[in-house]
Amino acid sequence: WAATNQPGPIDRIFVSDYMEQLYQDMTREAQFLSAFAVIAILLACLGLFGIAVSTAERRTKEIGIRKAMGAGNGQIVTLLLWQFAQPVLWANVIAWPVAWWLMRRWLSGFAYHIDLHLWVFAAVSLGALAIALATVAVQAFLTARQKPVLALRYE
């Protein structure tokens, strides 16, 4: 010990503490990314709600004519929800390969690997679709419940 010219005693540390220090930056990064993801989801929901209100306002006459011709509330709600579900489904089709490739590259840098399963991507897609439909469903239901006379008189 004297040959190394170290003035004090050996600085010892437990392996678990050392591993915690190694991954502390990654844990902090995950917390920041989670916070930003929540903010992004809230902003996306607000934007989607705004688009739903705008679409319902723009299609008031069409919805009134459909209701006057005998369409039920369920059919109108289904029509409006399907219109907003399509972009979410297309976004998932585009995002799956990109996310798989990026996650595979990121996970390859760790000592212990986990497999990427297809059900994880499907579950996230269903979650995104559920969030989008829940955001738009209330506005679609309120639009579908309007009387057709009010909608036709609107224009």
Side-chain angles (χ1 to χ4, degrees), residues 18 29 56 59 103 113 116 144:
Y18 178 72
E29 183 179 307
R59 295 178 74 178
M103 288 299 296
H113 299 283
L116 290 175

Side-chain angles (χ1 to χ4, degrees), residues 62-144:
E62 175 194 349
I63 292 169
I65 291 172
R66 285 181 186 269
K67 288 203 48 123
M69 298 300 280
N73 289 342
Q75 292 171 330
I76 301 295
V77 169
T78 303
L79 174 76
L80 292 173
L81 290 181
W82 176 244
Q83 178 185 357
F84 289 104
Q86 285 177 342
V88 173
L89 294 174
W90 279 109
N92 281 308
V93 166
I94 294 168
W96 278 21
V98 174
W100 179 79
W101 182 74
L102 287 173
M103 288 299 296
R104 197 167 159 99
R105 282 192 55 161
W106 182 63
L107 291 172
S108 68
F110 292 98
Y112 298 104
H113 299 283
I114 61 168
D115 294 329
L116 290 175
H117 298 288
L118 186 62
W119 68 267
V120 174
F121 293 100
V124 170
S125 296
L126 287 176
L129 186 62
I131 289 171
L133 293 180
T135 302
V136 177
V138 173
Q139 182 62 32
F141 184 71
L142 291 176
T143 302

